[in-house]
Amino acid sequence: MDKVLLTAAGLYVIVLLRAGGTFAVGWLAGAGARRSRFGERISQSKFQRVERAIQRWGAPVVAVSFLTIGFQTAANFLAGSMRMPLTRYLPALFAGGACWAMLYATAGIGALELLGRLFAEHAALGVGAVVALLLAVGALVLHRRRRAAAERPAQDATADES
């Protein structure tokens, strides 16, 4: 079997278990999640945006969420907590999961082959590329943490005024 298809099949099983499990946790948690410690996270703007999208568009939002980063888990959990019927959820899970698996299998294998050739032919350039990638990710994480820390005092001041 072709390595891309084998990788895609493995990723497909993983995404079905992970996303389906997230949906199941959301289903079981239901309204109780909003009253728990997890309720603070659900009230964040990301979850509220996903919830509005699911209420408006339903299953297509779940399917498309697999092509995003950071939206997928929220979409599956909220679809479960909102008790989306399985007859609507499962087709979205199967279609979106297949797209996700193929995208990651093809892009992932292509990236690994490119890195392998880069290290084999130009080791110093390969090390430089990995260092540059790690620095970029580190800078992004640092930027987001600083921005979140700067927003927190403004939110606390707004909460104190009301």
Side-chain angles (χ1 to χ4, degrees):
M1 182 183 271
D2 184 45
K3 63 184 167 185
V4 172
L5 289 178
L6 186 59
T7 303
L11 289 172
Y12 189 57
V13 169
I14 289 168
V15 78
L16 291 180
L17 293 173
R18 186 173 132 302
T22 304
F23 176 85
V25 168
W27 184 278
L28 293 173
R34 287 172 173 74
R35 293 187 297 268
S36 70
R37 284 186 284 155
F38 190 69
E40 293 174 13
R41 292 188 181 174
I42 292 175
S43 65
Q44 291 177 351
S45 62
K46 178 179 24 174
F47 279 96
Q48 290 172 348
R49 190 175 66 240
V50 174
E51 190 170 33
R52 284 191 304 271
I54 289 173
Q55 287 170 346
R56 182 169 183 194
W57 300 103
V61 170
V62 173
V64 172
S65 76
F66 287 95
L67 303 178
T68 66
I69 296 173
F71 190 79
Q72 183 184 131
T73 302
N76 283 283
F77 180 84
L78 290 171
S81 70
M82 295 168 64
R83 306 284 179 153
M84 179 183 284
L86 287 176
T87 56
R88 292 180 60 213
Y89 176 75
L90 290 177
L93 172 65
F94 294 143
C99 291
W100 178 89
M102 286 305 294
L103 177 70
Y104 275 77
T106 55
I109 291 217
L112 288 176
E113 287 177 349
L114 178 66
L115 281 174
R117 273 191 306 229
L118 186 63
F119 276 106
E121 296 172 10
H122 308 286
L125 189 58
V127 169
V130 169
V131 168
L133 178 66
L134 290 174
L135 287 173
V137 169
L140 179 66
V141 167
L142 183 63
H143 171 71
R144 286 186 176 193
R145 284 186 179 177
R146 285 184 178 170
R147 188 175 63 191
E151 289 174 359
R152 247 182 257 123
Q155 290 173 351
D156 292 344
T158 306
D160 290 341
E161 292 173 5
S162 53

